[in-house]
Amino acid sequence: AESDYEAALRYGADPGLVAGRREALRQARIQNLLTQGDQAVDARQFGQAEGFYADAAGLGASENLIRKRRLGIRIAKVRALIEDGRFEHAGEELVLWEASGEDPQVLPELNAFLRKQRTDARANEVRELIKNGDLLLASEKLVEWELTGEDLDPLPELYAELEERSMLEGKRFAERRKRVRQLVENKKFELAEKELARWEASGEDKDNLHELQAFFDQQNPEWTEAVTG
């Protein structure tokens, strides 16, 4: 296109018209580069985005416009770290950013986003442990969280969920103990042995398991001797 404009001038085209066309082309190129840069940011291709914005700056894009776009890259980088669960790295980046004194107006929102995502991740981890019946580890995680003194609002609800699940588990364990004991007392040793095997495989309620295994052996030593040889 530039060579066409040069040729037009040589053939006597209005210089003002040619200059206007050149300026329109320059602005279109700048806008295209900015759009490509924005798309690269959305795709987390931050290096490519910086390249597009640098090319736009080279074509004369306004300094303020380029500065805003580069700030957008920096914000997107931190948000990507947070969204990926890399909370410690994100926190370090925010500390360095604050120390630089550059663009402090965006930091409160980013710090709030970090706190929320980290809190949600902690809560989700505890809930997953509770769901899977790993109540001891869930309790330990809650205590560790409480000791940090950070973002404690979800703790009452999580402790309540843990207590509810603990009560249900306690009831289930009690019913299993009763069921196995009755099987042994009724001399249904084969069924009792299967129940004890499933219980042992679960890794749950080990103290009571050992007690009932001993009770099983005591009630029918002949069965135990026959099975174990």
Side-chain angles (χ1 to χ4, degrees), residues 4-191:
D4 292 338
Y5 293 140
E6 292 293 340
L9 287 172
R10 286 196 300 271
Y11 284 102
D14 182 351
L17 180 61
V18 171
R21 295 289 176 81
R22 277 176 164 166
E23 176 60 19
L25 178 61
R26 185 181 73 88
Q27 292 296 334
R29 286 174 174 170
I30 289 173
Q31 187 55 53
N32 182 57
L33 288 166
L34 293 175
T35 298
Q36 289 180 282
D38 295 345
Q39 291 171 344
V41 170
D42 291 340
R44 295 187 176 186
Q45 301 296 323
F46 302 121
Q48 289 185 13
E50 177 58 41
F52 287 127
Y53 295 151
D55 289 345
L59 287 176
S62 78
E63 183 177 337
N64 186 53
L65 190 63
I66 297 301
R67 189 189 68 79
K68 287 181 178 178
R69 287 302 205 284
R70 285 173 172 157
L71 173 59
I73 292 177
R74 195 171 188 182
I75 292 171
K77 283 181 177 179
V78 173
R79 289 185 67 90
L81 290 172
I82 296 171
E83 289 167 357
D84 290 346
R86 299 170 65 186
F87 303 126
E88 185 175 350
H89 190 177
E92 292 170 355
E93 289 293 324
L94 288 172
V95 168
L96 292 173
W97 190 337
E98 185 174 7
S100 75
E102 300 171 356
D103 303 298
Q105 72 280 2
V106 302
L107 291 179
E109 182 178 347
L110 287 172
N111 277 308
F113 182 58
L114 171 59
R115 285 194 302 273
K116 182 181 185 306
Q117 294 297 106
R118 182 171 53 202
T119 299
D120 289 349
R122 279 176 170 169
N124 289 337
E125 180 185 14
V126 171
R127 285 195 170 99
E128 190 66 21
L129 290 170
I130 293 172
K131 177 183 175 182
N132 293 334
D134 200 342
L135 306 184
L136 179 59
L137 184 54
S139 179
E140 291 173 354
K141 290 288 185 181
L142 287 173
V143 171
E144 290 173 4
W145 185 349
E146 190 168 6
L147 289 175
T148 68
E150 299 174 351
D151 306 308
L152 304 181
D153 288 347
L155 288 186
E157 182 178 348
L158 290 170
Y159 272 120
E161 291 177 17
L162 176 61
E163 182 177 3
E164 181 181 2
R165 180 60 187 270
S166 297
M167 291 175 63
L168 291 173
E169 290 290 272
K171 182 179 179 182
R172 182 168 68 86
F173 292 166
E175 290 173 348
R176 179 167 58 189
R177 292 194 296 270
K178 180 180 178 181
R179 183 172 65 252
V180 172
R181 179 172 286 276
Q182 287 177 341
L183 287 172
V184 175
E185 289 173 345
N186 293 329
K187 303 189 182 305
K188 296 181 179 180
F189 298 116
E190 186 173 358
L191 290 176

